[in-house]
Amino acid sequence: MMEKIAKPFLKWAGGKTQLITEIERVLPNEIRNSKFTYVEPFVGSGAILFWMLNNFPKMEKAVINDINEDLINTYKTIAKNPKELISILEILQNEYHSLELKTEEKKEYYYQKRETYNKREIEQSGQAALFIFLNRTCFNGLYRVNKNNGFNVPMGSYLKPTICDDKNILAVSNALQKVEILCGDYEQTLNYSSNNSLFYFDPPYKPLSETSSFNSYAKDEFGDNEQIRLKNFCSKLDLLNHQWILSNSDVKGKNVEDNFFDDLYSDFNINRVDAKRSINANPEKRGKLKELLITNQINNQEYVRAI
């Protein structure tokens, strides 16, 4: 039997599966042809992480980080205790599916589990199981917290969502055995890099409007000052001869006079690529838009469109 390929175990707003083709085009040649370390300081659902693990056998190790403690707890649980996690998820799935035709009871069950999750008083595997349960049953797979770090996304409308994908959890657990899992500020990842490292940054995006922000992903907001600090970190990596790719929103697509990123990353290569917006309360506002892929190395001269 073929070994199952690991894929993201979460639904995630802003997941990068759709950008894989564009990211592949700007990968530096050194990554394709020699041993390297892959570093992802804002790992999220790990779409690029799993793609790299599945397609680049010369990757010696990977390092992932996120400021979201509950997310990182889930990664660590899958890496160390996948079977225990699966057993809890199977119970949650069976209980939730049994309420398929009992609308009020199903709703009560969801909000009861959300309350338990927000107390953060249960053991690691149980907390990780609730993280996955809420991700699979909440509205659009959003992860959003308030200032007190309380998860506050309402229940979604899925009838019988897959809560326990046991085969993928085992595949992810196997893939994570060569991954260093960190939790905290992204700058700490530099300490875990090697001489030949590729950093991929997928930070909370700069919102295109005051009402479009989904970046209440941690209790502390990621505003313009944080975007500037991140650019300074990227400049530091460049001076140290590390290679990096960064994605973010294209604010110029909303306002042609908004040069925030064009000015901020003027010393680097700014590529505008097609993406899709899939989450919006107004269906008419979903659809194609441009995003930025910024790199510090030019791989394919014909492809790179420095703006």
Side-chain angles (χ1 to χ4, degrees), residues 163-256:
I163 295 165
C164 181
D165 186 345
D166 56 337
K167 291 182 175 61
N168 187 53
I169 288 174
L170 291 173
V172 169
S173 181
N174 183 57
L176 290 177
Q177 298 313 304
K178 66 186 294 187
V179 179
E180 182 100 29
I181 305 173
L182 310 175
C183 183
D185 187 78
Y186 60 85
E187 291 198 38
Q188 70 174 322
T189 57
L190 178 57
N191 300 326
Y192 296 82
S193 61
S194 62
N195 288 335
N196 188 24
S197 291
L198 171 67
F199 286 73
Y200 171 60
F201 296 96
D202 182 27
Y205 276 21
K206 182 173 170 61
L208 297 176
S209 68
E210 292 183 7
T211 58
S212 69
S213 175
F214 285 107
N215 73 355
S216 300
Y217 166 72
K219 61 181 191 288
D220 300 315
E221 291 189 6
F222 202 91
D224 286 357
N225 288 337
E226 281 299 308
Q227 298 285 1
I228 293 167
R229 181 167 76 96
L230 176 56
K231 182 269 173 184
N232 291 336
F233 183 63
C234 288
S235 294
K236 180 179 180 179
L237 294 180
D238 187 64
L239 290 172
L240 294 171
N241 292 319
H242 290 298
Q243 299 165 99
W244 54 263
I245 300 169
L246 178 143
S247 54
N248 216 311
S249 57
D250 183 9
V251 292
K252 188 180 276 291
K254 182 73 174 178
N255 176 5
V256 294

Side-chain angles (χ1 to χ4, degrees), residues 16-52:
K16 287 298 166 290
T17 300
Q18 62 174 323
L19 284 184
I20 285 175
T21 300
E22 301 290 354
I23 289 172
E24 186 172 20
R25 287 178 178 174
V26 298
L27 283 176
N29 288 325
E30 293 88 339
I31 298 306
R32 304 174 190 276
N33 302 322
S34 58
K35 294 180 180 180
F36 70 99
T37 297
Y38 174 71
V39 186
E40 190 165 347
F42 302 87
V43 69
S45 65
I48 305 304
L49 167 72
F50 294 118
W51 173 68
M52 294 290 294

Side-chain angles (χ1 to χ4, degrees), residues 80-285:
K80 296 177 182 177
N81 299 306
K83 292 182 179 178
E84 182 180 2
L85 176 65
I86 287 168
S87 66
I88 301 171
L89 285 172
E90 285 176 340
I91 293 170
L92 290 169
Q93 179 168 277
N94 290 335
E95 290 178 346
Y96 194 72
H97 287 181
S98 71
L99 302 173
E100 180 184 0
L101 302 177
K102 302 175 182 178
T103 306
E104 288 305 313
E105 290 181 42
K106 185 178 181 180
K107 194 173 181 180
E108 183 180 347
Y109 185 90
Y110 172 86
Y111 287 104
Q112 181 186 64
K113 295 303 180 188
R114 193 178 78 172
E115 183 178 352
T116 301
Y117 170 82
N118 281 332
K119 288 180 180 177
R120 295 179 174 82
E121 294 175 349
I122 58 177
E123 43 76 37
Q124 186 180 44
S125 294
Q127 190 70 16
L130 286 179
F131 185 95
I132 293 173
F133 166 79
L134 291 171
N135 173 263
R136 289 287 173 174
T137 57
C138 76
F139 174 74
N140 269 343
L142 284 175
Y143 192 88
R144 183 186 65 201
V145 295
N146 58 28
K147 299 277 187 196
N148 298 317
N149 203 29
F151 179 77
N152 60 6
V153 181
M155 187 176 80
S157 57
Y158 312 106
L159 293 178
K160 293 184 74 172
T162 299
I163 295 165
C164 181
D165 186 345
D166 56 337
K167 291 182 175 61
N168 187 53
I169 288 174
L170 291 173
V172 169
S173 181
N174 183 57
L176 290 177
Q177 298 313 304
K178 66 186 294 187
V179 179
E180 182 100 29
I181 305 173
L182 310 175
C183 183
D185 187 78
Y186 60 85
E187 291 198 38
Q188 70 174 322
T189 57
L190 178 57
N191 300 326
Y192 296 82
S193 61
S194 62
N195 288 335
N196 188 24
S197 291
L198 171 67
F199 286 73
Y200 171 60
F201 296 96
D202 182 27
Y205 276 21
K206 182 173 170 61
L208 297 176
S209 68
E210 292 183 7
T211 58
S212 69
S213 175
F214 285 107
N215 73 355
S216 300
Y217 166 72
K219 61 181 191 288
D220 300 315
E221 291 189 6
F222 202 91
D224 286 357
N225 288 337
E226 281 299 308
Q227 298 285 1
I228 293 167
R229 181 167 76 96
L230 176 56
K231 182 269 173 184
N232 291 336
F233 183 63
C234 288
S235 294
K236 180 179 180 179
L237 294 180
D238 187 64
L239 290 172
L240 294 171
N241 292 319
H242 290 298
Q243 299 165 99
W244 54 263
I245 300 169
L246 178 143
S247 54
N248 216 311
S249 57
D250 183 9
V251 292
K252 188 180 276 291
K254 182 73 174 178
N255 176 5
V256 294
E257 296 182 356
D258 190 338
N259 294 309
F260 181 83
F261 287 121
D262 293 83
D263 291 341
L264 191 60
Y265 287 94
S266 59
D267 292 337
F268 301 109
N269 311 304
I270 302 175
N271 311 285
R272 287 183 159 83
V273 300
D274 291 327
K276 288 190 300 183
R277 179 191 284 120
S278 57
I279 295 179
N280 196 296
N282 182 351
E284 293 181 1
K285 292 186 178 180

